[in-house]
Amino acid sequence: MAEVAAAAVGAGPHVNTAGSPTENAMAYLQDEKTDGDIANLNLGELDITTDEFILDEVDIHIQANLEDDLVKEALKTGVDLRQYSKQVESELQRIEQASIKDYIKESQNIALLHNQITACDSILERMEGMLSGFQSDLSSISSEIQTLQQQSVSMNVRLKNRQAVRSHLSQLVDELVVPGVMISTILDSPVTEQEFLEQLHELNNKINFAKELSFRETLACSDIQDIVDRLKLKAVSKIREFILQKIYSFRKPMTNYQIPQNTLLKYRFFYQFLLANERTVAKEIRDEYVDTMSKIYYSYFKSYSSRLLKVQYEEVADKDDLMGVEDTAKKSFFSKPSLKSRNTIFTLGQRGGILSPAELEGPILVPHTAQRGDSRYPYETLFRSQHYALLDNGCREYLFLSDFFMVTGNSALDLFNSIMGKTLSMFLKSMSTYVSDCYDSIAVFLCIHIILRFRAITAKRTIPALDKYWEAVLELLWPRFELILEMNIHSIRNTDPQKLGVLDTRPHYITRRYAEFSSAIVSINQTFPNERTHALLGQLQVEVENFVLKMAAEFPSRRDQLIFLINNYDMLLSVLMERAADDSKEVEGFQQLLLARTQEFIEEILSPPFGGMIAFVKEAEALMEKGQLDRLKNEEARITQLVRGFSSTWKQSVESMSQDVMRSFTNFKNGTSIIQGALTQLIQYYHGFHKVLNQPTFRSLAVRSELINLHHLMVEVKKHKPNF
């Protein structure tokens, strides 16, 4: 088309150059009256014949068409549009003729194509029919699938229901069926075999299941009831025979009953089976065990306790072996011999070791071995061995009863008491007999603390079986201990110093008894403090202090009285501080007494050689406080005598005083402390003497030049301090 248009443009003969482009276009439109589409001139849907034609709108359309590129090109070149239109039309006719020729030339191919299209249409028509058939078939299949799905859901529900019923029926049948293996095992196998125990468990389950079915009135239960009952009777018979045989084996002499007990624990299910299915036999076995073990424990502990008493010390304290009794006190002809040394009653010594964990839970004594070696023991050692054996056996027995007989709480305690009650009563009776005639307070107090510790052990093991027994023993021991302590208090209170023999400034034996006894009780009581014990010890301490003062009053001189008091207080402190705590009431009380008496004694020994100087210093210091020192202005002769007398005799006086102190006190360390205190006090007095003479009242005295230099005096005094 472009080539045709170009040829038409190039061949255009009529070119009007006289008019404007607008005029030429209008002329073309009027002459040809053709549609503007031929030359791509689209003037819109213009109707110029109507009365409504408006020139303005025509101008707008003409202007719009003039904007076309092809029109612009034609106008610029001056082409005659009419000629150009004819040229285009002829070119179109030529092309149409060529197309017709081409179509005729290809008519066979077109006919062939038409035939093929027709054939395809028939094929597609057949396919459409087939697909329609398939669609109808699929619709019918869908309905069948829905039907099958519904049938499947229904069958699945029925299957689940049948499976549920089958599981219940299977379990029921399994529980109802008594296999031959069970029958042969229960009838023929020994009870000690593992297979018998397993089948016994199964039999117990079937018995329980049969009971459950009988409550539901299940008819199938009657089919197996007879054989289950016969198997139960056979099992009960075999178990009864086995357990009774083990219980009877306890009765054999020298039998370690713990071994058959451990065997029974392995077969604890036997008793559980009896308890569930044959309570009469279970009660028979329980009663037989209780009776057997009660006799065994009673026999064992009775024999053991009697043998222990044979290795006790022969010498025991009696009612005359009290703290305030004189060592030389005579007894009647018919009285039993006294202890070789009464002081051992009040001394703890190695006896306190019984409370150490190693000895407290150590092996029990073997009496015949001790007898063979001629060994003897204090009562508390025998008491510990006896009660540790009770604790050990009691704890083991309680655990066995709880485990084998399946009892707890009060039921377990009642069963335990039915076995051990006779033995415990025998213990309490024996102890009551011993305590009523016992005057060894340390032994009783040690026994109390042994029980307190054993009670703590059973509490730690969570074994309540012996709690009431421990309380009963303490109710026996505490009153006796308090009674013995009160007897000792009364004995000291009623002591007559004039009947105690020759006076001596050394520590008195009664004071030493108290010191040993008090330190023993205090050291033991520290672990489990008891206020009643503290109160009784306080009363005893008051009586001892009064006794010491009464004994001191027997000495004629105050100096000897102070020596006696200091020696006794020092000894008391030394013994108490070895065992008791430094902050105990007893230690603090005697420390204050010792300090006061020591200070008084220092003043007493300084008075003979230096009394004049001391009196002058005290008098002068008192006047100085009142501002009346001038009253001593005329005491020059007295001062001169004091200065020269001290300078000439102080060394000899100090030496003599040191020797006298060391002879007077049994404890060299205490004597040294007293000498040091006396020399320190002497220096303080001499320092005060210097201070007084330095006052204006005495500065004019010539004798001041003869005063010993205080530093020199201190150096010299140190040479006289003894070293021990």
mmCIF file of all heavy atoms in Angstrom, residues 486-528:
data_model
loop_
_atom_site.group_PDB
_atom_site.id
_atom_site.type_symbol
_atom_site.label_atom_id
_atom_site.label_comp_id
_atom_site.label_asym_id
_atom_site.label_seq_id
_atom_site.Cartn_x
_atom_site.Cartn_y
_atom_site.Cartn_z
ATOM 1 N N GLU A 486 21.110 -34.569 146.073
ATOM 2 C CA GLU A 486 20.609 -33.926 147.289
ATOM 3 C C GLU A 486 21.243 -34.532 148.539
ATOM 4 O O GLU A 486 21.516 -33.810 149.516
ATOM 5 C CB GLU A 486 19.084 -34.053 147.341
ATOM 6 C CG GLU A 486 18.365 -33.189 146.292
ATOM 7 C CD GLU A 486 16.882 -33.454 146.246
ATOM 8 O OE1 GLU A 486 16.439 -34.390 146.963
ATOM 9 O OE2 GLU A 486 16.168 -32.751 145.506
ATOM 10 N N MET A 487 21.494 -35.838 148.511
ATOM 11 C CA MET A 487 22.180 -36.476 149.656
ATOM 12 C C MET A 487 23.586 -35.906 149.819
ATOM 13 O O MET A 487 24.044 -35.657 150.950
ATOM 14 C CB MET A 487 22.236 -37.989 149.450
ATOM 15 C CG MET A 487 20.875 -38.679 149.542
ATOM 16 S SD MET A 487 20.958 -40.432 149.099
ATOM 17 C CE MET A 487 21.968 -41.070 150.431
ATOM 18 N N ASN A 488 24.279 -35.675 148.717
ATOM 19 C CA ASN A 488 25.614 -35.075 148.796
ATOM 20 C C ASN A 488 25.543 -33.637 149.293
ATOM 21 O O ASN A 488 26.405 -33.187 150.062
ATOM 22 C CB ASN A 488 26.291 -35.133 147.427
ATOM 23 C CG ASN A 488 26.859 -36.500 147.108
ATOM 24 O OD1 ASN A 488 27.870 -36.917 147.659
ATOM 25 N ND2 ASN A 488 26.192 -37.220 146.219
ATOM 26 N N ILE A 489 24.512 -32.918 148.848
ATOM 27 C CA ILE A 489 24.342 -31.536 149.328
ATOM 28 C C ILE A 489 24.138 -31.528 150.842
ATOM 29 O O ILE A 489 24.763 -30.740 151.569
ATOM 30 C CB ILE A 489 23.148 -30.882 148.600
ATOM 31 C CG1 ILE A 489 23.492 -30.665 147.123
ATOM 32 C CG2 ILE A 489 22.778 -29.554 149.259
ATOM 33 C CD1 ILE A 489 22.315 -30.193 146.281
ATOM 34 N N HIS A 490 23.285 -32.409 151.331
ATOM 35 C CA HIS A 490 23.034 -32.475 152.782
ATOM 36 C C HIS A 490 24.288 -32.919 153.529
ATOM 37 O O HIS A 490 24.559 -32.434 154.649
ATOM 38 C CB HIS A 490 21.883 -33.432 153.069
ATOM 39 C CG HIS A 490 20.547 -32.899 152.653
ATOM 40 N ND1 HIS A 490 20.024 -31.717 153.131
ATOM 41 C CD2 HIS A 490 19.611 -33.399 151.791
ATOM 42 C CE1 HIS A 490 18.829 -31.493 152.593
ATOM 43 N NE2 HIS A 490 18.568 -32.502 151.760
ATOM 44 N N SER A 491 25.047 -33.828 152.930
ATOM 45 C CA SER A 491 26.251 -34.296 153.629
ATOM 46 C C SER A 491 27.259 -33.169 153.807
ATOM 47 O O SER A 491 27.911 -33.062 154.850
ATOM 48 C CB SER A 491 26.874 -35.453 152.855
ATOM 49 O OG SER A 491 27.474 -34.996 151.647
ATOM 50 N N ILE A 492 27.389 -32.298 152.808
ATOM 51 C CA ILE A 492 28.309 -31.157 152.934
ATOM 52 C C ILE A 492 27.744 -30.129 153.905
ATOM 53 O O ILE A 492 28.468 -29.562 154.742
ATOM 54 C CB ILE A 492 28.556 -30.531 151.555
ATOM 55 C CG1 ILE A 492 29.294 -31.511 150.647
ATOM 56 C CG2 ILE A 492 29.359 -29.241 151.686
ATOM 57 C CD1 ILE A 492 29.503 -31.024 149.245
ATOM 58 N N ARG A 493 26.434 -29.921 153.824
ATOM 59 C CA ARG A 493 25.809 -28.935 154.712
ATOM 60 C C ARG A 493 25.950 -29.352 156.179
ATOM 61 O O ARG A 493 26.134 -28.500 157.063
ATOM 62 C CB ARG A 493 24.332 -28.786 154.336
ATOM 63 C CG ARG A 493 23.586 -27.728 155.136
ATOM 64 C CD ARG A 493 22.124 -27.750 154.736
ATOM 65 N NE ARG A 493 21.983 -27.475 153.304
ATOM 66 C CZ ARG A 493 20.925 -27.832 152.597
ATOM 67 N NH1 ARG A 493 19.932 -28.523 153.162
ATOM 68 N NH2 ARG A 493 20.850 -27.521 151.308
ATOM 69 N N ASN A 494 25.888 -30.635 156.458
ATOM 70 C CA ASN A 494 25.931 -31.127 157.839
ATOM 71 C C ASN A 494 27.333 -31.484 158.310
ATOM 72 O O ASN A 494 27.497 -32.043 159.410
ATOM 73 C CB ASN A 494 25.017 -32.348 157.971
ATOM 74 C CG ASN A 494 23.568 -32.015 157.641
ATOM 75 O OD1 ASN A 494 23.121 -30.892 157.872
ATOM 76 N ND2 ASN A 494 22.834 -32.985 157.106
ATOM 77 N N THR A 495 28.335 -31.209 157.504
ATOM 78 C CA THR A 495 29.707 -31.545 157.888
ATOM 79 C C THR A 495 30.178 -30.642 159.030
ATOM 80 O O THR A 495 29.997 -29.423 159.001
ATOM 81 C CB THR A 495 30.646 -31.384 156.682
ATOM 82 O OG1 THR A 495 30.244 -32.286 155.657
ATOM 83 C CG2 THR A 495 32.086 -31.692 157.074
ATOM 84 N N ASP A 496 30.797 -31.263 160.017
ATOM 85 C CA ASP A 496 31.375 -30.524 161.154
ATOM 86 C C ASP A 496 32.874 -30.397 160.923
ATOM 87 O O ASP A 496 33.595 -31.403 160.944
ATOM 88 C CB ASP A 496 31.099 -31.267 162.455
ATOM 89 C CG ASP A 496 31.565 -30.473 163.680
ATOM 90 O OD1 ASP A 496 32.129 -29.363 163.497
ATOM 91 O OD2 ASP A 496 31.365 -30.963 164.807
ATOM 92 N N PRO A 497 33.373 -29.175 160.652
ATOM 93 C CA PRO A 497 34.816 -29.021 160.372
ATOM 94 C C PRO A 497 35.727 -29.569 161.477
ATOM 95 O O PRO A 497 36.842 -30.028 161.200
ATOM 96 C CB PRO A 497 34.974 -27.500 160.236
ATOM 97 C CG PRO A 497 33.619 -27.010 159.856
ATOM 98 C CD PRO A 497 32.649 -27.910 160.576
ATOM 99 N N GLN A 498 35.262 -29.547 162.724
ATOM 100 C CA GLN A 498 36.116 -29.998 163.827
ATOM 101 C C GLN A 498 36.297 -31.505 163.846
ATOM 102 O O GLN A 498 37.181 -32.017 164.531
ATOM 103 C CB GLN A 498 35.504 -29.526 165.160
ATOM 104 C CG GLN A 498 35.474 -28.002 165.302
ATOM 105 C CD GLN A 498 34.903 -27.560 166.627
ATOM 106 O OE1 GLN A 498 34.429 -28.383 167.422
ATOM 107 N NE2 GLN A 498 34.957 -26.259 166.893
ATOM 108 N N LYS A 499 35.456 -32.227 163.083
ATOM 109 C CA LYS A 499 35.573 -33.685 163.060
ATOM 110 C C LYS A 499 36.341 -34.189 161.841
ATOM 111 O O LYS A 499 36.388 -35.392 161.592
ATOM 112 C CB LYS A 499 34.177 -34.311 163.060
ATOM 113 C CG LYS A 499 33.393 -34.030 164.334
ATOM 114 C CD LYS A 499 32.021 -34.695 164.266
ATOM 115 C CE LYS A 499 31.224 -34.425 165.539
ATOM 116 N NZ LYS A 499 29.887 -35.075 165.493
ATOM 117 N N LEU A 500 36.907 -33.252 161.086
ATOM 118 C CA LEU A 500 37.579 -33.644 159.842
ATOM 119 C C LEU A 500 39.085 -33.792 159.988
ATOM 120 O O LEU A 500 39.810 -33.776 159.008
ATOM 121 C CB LEU A 500 37.254 -32.625 158.743
ATOM 122 C CG LEU A 500 35.784 -32.548 158.335
ATOM 123 C CD1 LEU A 500 35.581 -31.505 157.260
ATOM 124 C CD2 LEU A 500 35.264 -33.898 157.851
ATOM 125 N N GLY A 501 39.557 -33.885 161.190
ATOM 126 C CA GLY A 501 40.980 -34.141 161.382
ATOM 127 C C GLY A 501 41.789 -32.872 161.522
ATOM 128 O O GLY A 501 41.277 -31.782 161.797
ATOM 129 N N VAL A 502 43.110 -32.997 161.294
ATOM 130 C CA VAL A 502 44.058 -31.897 161.473
ATOM 131 C C VAL A 502 43.831 -30.841 160.398
ATOM 132 O O VAL A 502 43.610 -31.161 159.231
ATOM 133 C CB VAL A 502 45.508 -32.424 161.406
ATOM 134 C CG1 VAL A 502 46.500 -31.283 161.625
ATOM 135 C CG2 VAL A 502 45.719 -33.516 162.445
ATOM 136 N N LEU A 503 43.916 -29.564 160.839
ATOM 137 C CA LEU A 503 43.771 -28.466 159.885
ATOM 138 C C LEU A 503 44.989 -28.371 158.990
ATOM 139 O O LEU A 503 46.120 -28.583 159.434
ATOM 140 C CB LEU A 503 43.566 -27.145 160.633
ATOM 141 C CG LEU A 503 42.235 -26.991 161.377
ATOM 142 C CD1 LEU A 503 42.230 -25.687 162.160
ATOM 143 C CD2 LEU A 503 41.074 -27.019 160.405
ATOM 144 N N ASP A 504 44.767 -28.036 157.760
ATOM 145 C CA ASP A 504 45.854 -27.921 156.780
ATOM 146 C C ASP A 504 45.437 -26.876 155.753
ATOM 147 O O ASP A 504 44.301 -26.843 155.310
ATOM 148 C CB ASP A 504 46.090 -29.270 156.101
ATOM 149 C CG ASP A 504 47.385 -29.281 155.302
ATOM 150 O OD1 ASP A 504 47.956 -28.194 155.075
ATOM 151 O OD2 ASP A 504 47.812 -30.377 154.895
ATOM 152 N N THR A 505 46.400 -26.001 155.376
ATOM 153 C CA THR A 505 46.074 -24.938 154.405
ATOM 154 C C THR A 505 46.003 -25.456 152.976
ATOM 155 O O THR A 505 45.602 -24.724 152.075
ATOM 156 C CB THR A 505 47.126 -23.819 154.476
ATOM 157 O OG1 THR A 505 48.429 -24.382 154.229
ATOM 158 C CG2 THR A 505 47.102 -23.142 155.843
ATOM 159 N N ARG A 506 46.399 -26.677 152.736
ATOM 160 C CA ARG A 506 46.315 -27.228 151.387
ATOM 161 C C ARG A 506 44.850 -27.489 151.019
ATOM 162 O O ARG A 506 43.975 -27.519 151.881
ATOM 163 C CB ARG A 506 47.122 -28.520 151.302
ATOM 164 C CG ARG A 506 48.621 -28.301 151.407
ATOM 165 C CD ARG A 506 49.370 -29.614 151.431
ATOM 166 N NE ARG A 506 49.041 -30.402 152.625
ATOM 167 C CZ ARG A 506 49.546 -31.609 152.890
ATOM 168 N NH1 ARG A 506 50.405 -32.155 152.053
ATOM 169 N NH2 ARG A 506 49.197 -32.243 153.992
ATOM 170 N N PRO A 507 44.555 -27.713 149.710
ATOM 171 C CA PRO A 507 43.167 -27.957 149.309
ATOM 172 C C PRO A 507 42.560 -29.141 150.054
ATOM 173 O O PRO A 507 43.189 -30.199 150.183
ATOM 174 C CB PRO A 507 43.271 -28.240 147.803
ATOM 175 C CG PRO A 507 44.515 -27.544 147.386
ATOM 176 C CD PRO A 507 45.453 -27.647 148.541
ATOM 177 N N HIS A 508 41.336 -28.960 150.508
ATOM 178 C CA HIS A 508 40.669 -29.999 151.278
ATOM 179 C C HIS A 508 40.130 -31.084 150.346
ATOM 180 O O HIS A 508 39.735 -30.824 149.219
ATOM 181 C CB HIS A 508 39.517 -29.378 152.081
ATOM 182 C CG HIS A 508 39.068 -30.226 153.232
ATOM 183 N ND1 HIS A 508 38.160 -31.243 153.099
ATOM 184 C CD2 HIS A 508 39.426 -30.213 154.542
ATOM 185 C CE1 HIS A 508 37.957 -31.824 154.271
ATOM 186 N NE2 HIS A 508 38.716 -31.194 155.173
ATOM 187 N N TYR A 509 40.118 -32.324 150.848
ATOM 188 C CA TYR A 509 39.677 -33.430 149.990
ATOM 189 C C TYR A 509 38.188 -33.319 149.642
ATOM 190 O O TYR A 509 37.749 -33.767 148.587
ATOM 191 C CB TYR A 509 39.983 -34.787 150.639
ATOM 192 C CG TYR A 509 39.389 -35.001 152.010
ATOM 193 C CD1 TYR A 509 38.073 -35.415 152.175
ATOM 194 C CD2 TYR A 509 40.163 -34.816 153.154
ATOM 195 C CE1 TYR A 509 37.538 -35.625 153.435
ATOM 196 C CE2 TYR A 509 39.636 -35.025 154.412
ATOM 197 C CZ TYR A 509 38.312 -35.431 154.560
ATOM 198 O OH TYR A 509 37.785 -35.638 155.808
ATOM 199 N N ILE A 510 37.408 -32.726 150.525
ATOM 200 C CA ILE A 510 35.994 -32.540 150.183
ATOM 201 C C ILE A 510 35.853 -31.528 149.042
ATOM 202 O O ILE A 510 35.034 -31.699 148.127
ATOM 203 C CB ILE A 510 35.204 -32.075 151.428
ATOM 204 C CG1 ILE A 510 35.131 -33.219 152.445
ATOM 205 C CG2 ILE A 510 33.793 -31.614 151.035
ATOM 206 C CD1 ILE A 510 34.362 -32.883 153.701
ATOM 207 N N THR A 511 36.684 -30.487 149.087
ATOM 208 C CA THR A 511 36.666 -29.515 147.997
ATOM 209 C C THR A 511 37.078 -30.175 146.686
ATOM 210 O O THR A 511 36.509 -29.912 145.625
ATOM 211 C CB THR A 511 37.607 -28.349 148.308
ATOM 212 O OG1 THR A 511 37.369 -27.891 149.628
ATOM 213 C CG2 THR A 511 37.397 -27.203 147.340
ATOM 214 N N ARG A 512 38.094 -31.039 146.771
ATOM 215 C CA ARG A 512 38.535 -31.733 145.561
ATOM 216 C C ARG A 512 37.441 -32.668 145.047
ATOM 217 O O ARG A 512 37.222 -32.770 143.829
ATOM 218 C CB ARG A 512 39.816 -32.524 145.835
ATOM 219 C CG ARG A 512 40.320 -33.300 144.619
ATOM 220 C CD ARG A 512 41.700 -33.853 144.847
ATOM 221 N NE ARG A 512 42.689 -32.782 144.900
ATOM 222 C CZ ARG A 512 43.216 -32.197 143.838
ATOM 223 N NH1 ARG A 512 42.817 -32.552 142.617
ATOM 224 N NH2 ARG A 512 44.126 -31.262 143.982
ATOM 225 N N ARG A 513 36.762 -33.335 145.953
ATOM 226 C CA ARG A 513 35.652 -34.192 145.512
ATOM 227 C C ARG A 513 34.622 -33.375 144.740
ATOM 228 O O ARG A 513 34.151 -33.780 143.677
ATOM 229 C CB ARG A 513 34.980 -34.837 146.731
ATOM 230 C CG ARG A 513 35.796 -35.898 147.436
ATOM 231 C CD ARG A 513 35.046 -36.342 148.679
ATOM 232 N NE ARG A 513 35.836 -37.258 149.493
ATOM 233 C CZ ARG A 513 35.488 -37.648 150.715
ATOM 234 N NH1 ARG A 513 34.352 -37.198 151.247
ATOM 235 N NH2 ARG A 513 36.246 -38.474 151.402
ATOM 236 N N TYR A 514 34.278 -32.210 145.325
ATOM 237 C CA TYR A 514 33.288 -31.370 144.646
ATOM 238 C C TYR A 514 33.799 -30.923 143.282
ATOM 239 O O TYR A 514 33.051 -30.931 142.292
ATOM 240 C CB TYR A 514 32.961 -30.140 145.490
ATOM 241 C CG TYR A 514 32.265 -29.065 144.674
ATOM 242 C CD1 TYR A 514 30.931 -29.182 144.326
ATOM 243 C CD2 TYR A 514 32.977 -27.955 144.199
ATOM 244 C CE1 TYR A 514 30.299 -28.223 143.542
ATOM 245 C CE2 TYR A 514 32.356 -26.989 143.413
ATOM 246 C CZ TYR A 514 31.023 -27.134 143.086
ATOM 247 O OH TYR A 514 30.407 -26.191 142.307
ATOM 248 N N ALA A 515 35.068 -30.512 143.221
ATOM 249 C CA ALA A 515 35.626 -30.029 141.956
ATOM 250 C C ALA A 515 35.568 -31.117 140.890
ATOM 251 O O ALA A 515 35.147 -30.877 139.742
ATOM 252 C CB ALA A 515 37.056 -29.548 142.160
ATOM 253 N N GLU A 516 35.981 -32.335 141.243
ATOM 254 C CA GLU A 516 35.955 -33.431 140.283
ATOM 255 C C GLU A 516 34.521 -33.755 139.866
ATOM 256 O O GLU A 516 34.220 -33.937 138.676
ATOM 257 C CB GLU A 516 36.617 -34.678 140.888
ATOM 258 C CG GLU A 516 38.101 -34.525 141.175
ATOM 259 C CD GLU A 516 38.929 -34.556 139.904
ATOM 260 O OE1 GLU A 516 38.378 -34.848 138.835
ATOM 261 O OE2 GLU A 516 40.140 -34.284 139.985
ATOM 262 N N PHE A 517 33.643 -33.801 140.867
ATOM 263 C CA PHE A 517 32.256 -34.148 140.576
ATOM 264 C C PHE A 517 31.576 -33.073 139.727
ATOM 265 O O PHE A 517 30.914 -33.369 138.726
ATOM 266 C CB PHE A 517 31.498 -34.344 141.891
ATOM 267 C CG PHE A 517 30.040 -34.638 141.703
ATOM 268 C CD1 PHE A 517 29.612 -35.900 141.325
ATOM 269 C CD2 PHE A 517 29.084 -33.648 141.884
ATOM 270 C CE1 PHE A 517 28.267 -36.171 141.138
ATOM 271 C CE2 PHE A 517 27.741 -33.915 141.699
ATOM 272 C CZ PHE A 517 27.332 -35.180 141.325
ATOM 273 N N SER A 518 31.742 -31.819 140.118
ATOM 274 C CA SER A 518 31.086 -30.728 139.394
ATOM 275 C C SER A 518 31.588 -30.645 137.956
ATOM 276 O O SER A 518 30.803 -30.471 137.019
ATOM 277 C CB SER A 518 31.331 -29.403 140.118
ATOM 278 O OG SER A 518 30.698 -28.342 139.446
ATOM 279 N N SER A 519 32.908 -30.766 137.778
ATOM 280 C CA SER A 519 33.447 -30.710 136.409
ATOM 281 C C SER A 519 32.929 -31.883 135.579
ATOM 282 O O SER A 519 32.648 -31.738 134.381
ATOM 283 C CB SER A 519 34.979 -30.720 136.448
ATOM 284 O OG SER A 519 35.463 -31.948 136.979
ATOM 285 N N ALA A 520 32.776 -33.052 136.220
ATOM 286 C CA ALA A 520 32.260 -34.220 135.493
ATOM 287 C C ALA A 520 30.827 -33.980 135.041
ATOM 288 O O ALA A 520 30.473 -34.194 133.862
ATOM 289 C CB ALA A 520 32.337 -35.460 136.381
ATOM 290 N N ILE A 521 29.985 -33.522 135.959
ATOM 291 C CA ILE A 521 28.571 -33.316 135.625
ATOM 292 C C ILE A 521 28.422 -32.201 134.597
ATOM 293 O O ILE A 521 27.639 -32.317 133.637
ATOM 294 C CB ILE A 521 27.761 -33.000 136.897
ATOM 295 C CG1 ILE A 521 27.846 -34.166 137.884
ATOM 296 C CG2 ILE A 521 26.310 -32.704 136.543
ATOM 297 C CD1 ILE A 521 27.340 -35.480 137.345
ATOM 298 N N VAL A 522 29.163 -31.113 134.773
ATOM 299 C CA VAL A 522 29.047 -29.984 133.844
ATOM 300 C C VAL A 522 29.489 -30.388 132.441
ATOM 301 O O VAL A 522 28.841 -30.054 131.442
ATOM 302 C CB VAL A 522 29.872 -28.777 134.351
ATOM 303 C CG1 VAL A 522 29.963 -27.701 133.275
ATOM 304 C CG2 VAL A 522 29.232 -28.192 135.599
ATOM 305 N N SER A 523 30.597 -31.121 132.353
ATOM 306 C CA SER A 523 31.093 -31.517 131.026
ATOM 307 C C SER A 523 30.123 -32.473 130.337
ATOM 308 O O SER A 523 29.910 -32.395 129.124
ATOM 309 C CB SER A 523 32.469 -32.173 131.152
ATOM 310 O OG SER A 523 32.392 -33.369 131.922
ATOM 311 N N ILE A 524 29.507 -33.381 131.104
ATOM 312 C CA ILE A 524 28.535 -34.306 130.509
ATOM 313 C C ILE A 524 27.263 -33.567 130.117
ATOM 314 O O ILE A 524 26.669 -33.813 129.059
ATOM 315 C CB ILE A 524 28.206 -35.446 131.504
ATOM 316 C CG1 ILE A 524 29.452 -36.296 131.775
ATOM 317 C CG2 ILE A 524 27.076 -36.323 130.961
ATOM 318 C CD1 ILE A 524 29.269 -37.308 132.891
ATOM 319 N N ASN A 525 26.860 -32.626 130.963
ATOM 320 C CA ASN A 525 25.574 -31.944 130.781
ATOM 321 C C ASN A 525 25.599 -30.931 129.641
ATOM 322 O O ASN A 525 24.546 -30.427 129.246
ATOM 323 C CB ASN A 525 25.184 -31.242 132.084
ATOM 324 C CG ASN A 525 23.703 -30.928 132.147
ATOM 325 O OD1 ASN A 525 22.872 -31.794 131.909
ATOM 326 N ND2 ASN A 525 23.366 -29.687 132.448
ATOM 327 N N GLN A 526 26.780 -30.617 129.112
ATOM 328 C CA GLN A 526 26.869 -29.603 128.063
ATOM 329 C C GLN A 526 26.171 -30.041 126.778
ATOM 330 O O GLN A 526 25.639 -29.221 126.035
ATOM 331 C CB GLN A 526 28.334 -29.274 127.776
ATOM 332 C CG GLN A 526 28.997 -28.435 128.866
ATOM 333 C CD GLN A 526 30.487 -28.246 128.627
ATOM 334 O OE1 GLN A 526 31.061 -28.874 127.743
ATOM 335 N NE2 GLN A 526 31.111 -27.398 129.413
ATOM 336 N N THR A 527 26.164 -31.345 126.503
ATOM 337 C CA THR A 527 25.573 -31.831 125.255
ATOM 338 C C THR A 527 24.049 -31.777 125.289
ATOM 339 O O THR A 527 23.413 -31.323 124.350
ATOM 340 C CB THR A 527 26.025 -33.277 124.980
ATOM 341 O OG1 THR A 527 27.443 -33.349 125.079
ATOM 342 C CG2 THR A 527 25.596 -33.713 123.590
ATOM 343 N N PHE A 528 23.471 -32.252 126.400
ATOM 344 C CA PHE A 528 22.016 -32.214 126.580
ATOM 345 C C PHE A 528 21.719 -31.459 127.873
ATOM 346 O O PHE A 528 21.516 -32.058 128.926
ATOM 347 C CB PHE A 528 21.437 -33.635 126.656
ATOM 348 C CG PHE A 528 21.498 -34.395 125.371
ATOM 349 C CD1 PHE A 528 22.608 -35.173 125.048
ATOM 350 C CD2 PHE A 528 20.459 -34.334 124.467
ATOM 351 C CE1 PHE A 528 22.668 -35.883 123.865
ATOM 352 C CE2 PHE A 528 20.510 -35.041 123.270
ATOM 353 C CZ PHE A 528 21.607 -35.809 122.966
#
